[in-house]
PDB file of all heavy atoms in Angstrom:
ATOM      1  N   ILE W 201      55.576 -87.938 132.171  1.00 96.00           N
ATOM      2  CA  ILE W 201      57.008 -87.980 131.854  1.00 96.00           C
ATOM      3  C   ILE W 201      57.264 -86.963 130.738  1.00 96.00           C
ATOM      4  O   ILE W 201      56.498 -86.900 129.776  1.00 96.00           O
ATOM      5  CB  ILE W 201      57.425 -89.389 131.374  1.00 96.00           C
ATOM      6  CG1 ILE W 201      57.209 -90.428 132.483  1.00 96.00           C
ATOM      7  CG2 ILE W 201      58.882 -89.396 130.886  1.00 96.00           C
ATOM      8  CD1 ILE W 201      57.421 -91.873 132.044  1.00 96.00           C
ATOM      9  N   PHE W 202      58.315 -86.167 130.891  1.00 94.00           N
ATOM     10  CA  PHE W 202      58.741 -85.289 129.792  1.00 94.00           C
ATOM     11  C   PHE W 202      59.924 -85.920 129.076  1.00 94.00           C
ATOM     12  O   PHE W 202      60.812 -86.492 129.720  1.00 94.00           O
ATOM     13  CB  PHE W 202      59.181 -83.914 130.320  1.00 94.00           C
ATOM     14  CG  PHE W 202      58.041 -83.010 130.672  1.00 94.00           C
ATOM     15  CD1 PHE W 202      57.681 -82.803 131.999  1.00 94.00           C
ATOM     16  CD2 PHE W 202      57.334 -82.349 129.678  1.00 94.00           C
ATOM     17  CE1 PHE W 202      56.629 -81.966 132.326  1.00 94.00           C
ATOM     18  CE2 PHE W 202      56.275 -81.503 129.998  1.00 94.00           C
ATOM     19  CZ  PHE W 202      55.927 -81.318 131.328  1.00 94.00           C
ATOM     20  N   VAL W 203      59.944 -85.815 127.765  1.00 95.00           N
ATOM     21  CA  VAL W 203      61.096 -86.245 126.989  1.00 95.00           C
ATOM     22  C   VAL W 203      61.617 -85.043 126.206  1.00 95.00           C
ATOM     23  O   VAL W 203      60.839 -84.374 125.522  1.00 95.00           O
ATOM     24  CB  VAL W 203      60.720 -87.384 126.011  1.00 95.00           C
ATOM     25  CG1 VAL W 203      61.851 -87.623 125.010  1.00 95.00           C
ATOM     26  CG2 VAL W 203      60.424 -88.663 126.776  1.00 95.00           C
ATOM     27  N   VAL W 204      62.915 -84.761 126.366  1.00 95.00           N
ATOM     28  CA  VAL W 204      63.545 -83.780 125.488  1.00 95.00           C
ATOM     29  C   VAL W 204      64.275 -84.589 124.423  1.00 95.00           C
ATOM     30  O   VAL W 204      65.338 -85.157 124.668  1.00 95.00           O
ATOM     31  CB  VAL W 204      64.517 -82.858 126.245  1.00 95.00           C
ATOM     32  CG1 VAL W 204      65.216 -81.911 125.270  1.00 95.00           C
ATOM     33  CG2 VAL W 204      63.760 -82.068 127.304  1.00 95.00           C
ATOM     34  N   ASN W 205      63.655 -84.700 123.264  1.00 95.00           N
ATOM     35  CA  ASN W 205      64.235 -85.476 122.166  1.00 95.00           C
ATOM     36  C   ASN W 205      65.209 -84.587 121.379  1.00 95.00           C
ATOM     37  O   ASN W 205      65.227 -83.376 121.578  1.00 95.00           O
ATOM     38  CB  ASN W 205      63.118 -86.011 121.265  1.00 95.00           C
ATOM     39  CG  ASN W 205      63.649 -86.997 120.248  1.00 95.00           C
ATOM     40  OD1 ASN W 205      64.611 -87.733 120.519  1.00 95.00           O
ATOM     41  ND2 ASN W 205      63.049 -87.041 119.079  1.00 95.00           N
ATOM     42  N   LYS W 206      65.978 -85.184 120.511  1.00 94.00           N
ATOM     43  CA  LYS W 206      67.012 -84.460 119.748  1.00 94.00           C
ATOM     44  C   LYS W 206      67.963 -83.770 120.724  1.00 94.00           C
ATOM     45  O   LYS W 206      68.350 -82.606 120.523  1.00 94.00           O
ATOM     46  CB  LYS W 206      66.368 -83.435 118.794  1.00 94.00           C
ATOM     47  CG  LYS W 206      65.337 -84.068 117.867  1.00 94.00           C
ATOM     48  CD  LYS W 206      64.785 -83.101 116.846  1.00 94.00           C
ATOM     49  CE  LYS W 206      63.730 -83.795 115.981  1.00 94.00           C
ATOM     50  NZ  LYS W 206      63.156 -82.920 114.937  1.00 94.00           N
ATOM     51  N   ALA W 207      68.326 -84.504 121.785  1.00 95.00           N
ATOM     52  CA  ALA W 207      69.087 -83.923 122.887  1.00 95.00           C
ATOM     53  C   ALA W 207      70.530 -83.677 122.508  1.00 95.00           C
ATOM     54  O   ALA W 207      71.298 -83.118 123.299  1.00 95.00           O
ATOM     55  CB  ALA W 207      69.000 -84.829 124.119  1.00 95.00           C
ATOM     56  N   ASP W 208      70.930 -84.071 121.292  1.00 95.00           N
ATOM     57  CA  ASP W 208      72.291 -83.754 120.831  1.00 95.00           C
ATOM     58  C   ASP W 208      72.325 -82.402 120.126  1.00 95.00           C
ATOM     59  O   ASP W 208      73.363 -81.952 119.668  1.00 95.00           O
ATOM     60  CB  ASP W 208      72.837 -84.865 119.913  1.00 95.00           C
ATOM     61  CG  ASP W 208      71.869 -85.211 118.776  1.00 95.00           C
ATOM     62  OD1 ASP W 208      70.718 -84.691 118.779  1.00 95.00           O
ATOM     63  OD2 ASP W 208      72.252 -86.005 117.896  1.00 95.00           O
ATOM     64  N   ARG W 209      71.193 -81.743 120.049  1.00 93.00           N
ATOM     65  CA  ARG W 209      71.161 -80.427 119.412  1.00 93.00           C
ATOM     66  C   ARG W 209      71.458 -79.323 120.407  1.00 93.00           C
ATOM     67  O   ARG W 209      71.260 -79.474 121.610  1.00 93.00           O
ATOM     68  CB  ARG W 209      69.771 -80.164 118.817  1.00 93.00           C
ATOM     69  CG  ARG W 209      69.484 -81.052 117.656  1.00 93.00           C
ATOM     70  CD  ARG W 209      68.583 -80.325 116.694  1.00 93.00           C
ATOM     71  NE  ARG W 209      68.207 -81.220 115.618  1.00 93.00           N
ATOM     72  CZ  ARG W 209      67.127 -81.083 114.893  1.00 93.00           C
ATOM     73  NH1 ARG W 209      66.302 -80.063 115.126  1.00 93.00           N
ATOM     74  NH2 ARG W 209      66.851 -81.922 113.926  1.00 93.00           N
ATOM     75  N   GLU W 210      71.842 -78.199 119.837  1.00 90.00           N
ATOM     76  CA  GLU W 210      72.108 -77.035 120.661  1.00 90.00           C
ATOM     77  C   GLU W 210      70.841 -76.635 121.416  1.00 90.00           C
ATOM     78  O   GLU W 210      69.744 -76.716 120.875  1.00 90.00           O
ATOM     79  CB  GLU W 210      72.518 -75.877 119.731  1.00 90.00           C
ATOM     80  CG  GLU W 210      73.456 -74.888 120.364  1.00 90.00           C
ATOM     81  CD  GLU W 210      73.843 -73.811 119.349  1.00 90.00           C
ATOM     82  OE1 GLU W 210      73.914 -74.138 118.137  1.00 90.00           O
ATOM     83  OE2 GLU W 210      74.052 -72.670 119.758  1.00 90.00           O
ATOM     84  N   GLY W 211      71.026 -76.214 122.618  1.00 89.00           N
ATOM     85  CA  GLY W 211      69.879 -75.715 123.365  1.00 89.00           C
ATOM     86  C   GLY W 211      69.164 -76.775 124.173  1.00 89.00           C
ATOM     87  O   GLY W 211      68.209 -76.486 124.902  1.00 89.00           O
ATOM     88  N   ALA W 212      69.623 -78.036 124.062  1.00 92.00           N
ATOM     89  CA  ALA W 212      68.922 -79.111 124.765  1.00 92.00           C
ATOM     90  C   ALA W 212      68.962 -78.891 126.276  1.00 92.00           C
ATOM     91  O   ALA W 212      67.963 -79.092 126.969  1.00 92.00           O
ATOM     92  CB  ALA W 212      69.534 -80.461 124.410  1.00 92.00           C
ATOM     93  N   ARG W 213      70.146 -78.430 126.739  1.00 92.00           N
ATOM     94  CA  ARG W 213      70.258 -78.267 128.186  1.00 92.00           C
ATOM     95  C   ARG W 213      69.344 -77.161 128.702  1.00 92.00           C
ATOM     96  O   ARG W 213      68.800 -77.243 129.793  1.00 92.00           O
ATOM     97  CB  ARG W 213      71.718 -78.007 128.579  1.00 92.00           C
ATOM     98  CG  ARG W 213      72.404 -79.362 128.904  1.00 92.00           C
ATOM     99  CD  ARG W 213      73.718 -79.152 129.574  1.00 92.00           C
ATOM    100  NE  ARG W 213      74.662 -78.536 128.628  1.00 92.00           N
ATOM    101  CZ  ARG W 213      75.933 -78.286 128.936  1.00 92.00           C
ATOM    102  NH1 ARG W 213      76.395 -78.558 130.136  1.00 92.00           N
ATOM    103  NH2 ARG W 213      76.736 -77.739 128.049  1.00 92.00           N
TER     104      ARG W 213
END
Side-chain angles (χ1 to χ4, degrees):
Chain W
I201 297 172
F202 282 103
V203 168
V204 176
N205 189 32
K206 305 185 182 181
D208 51 353
R209 292 211 185 156
E210 210 178 328
R213 268 193 293 183

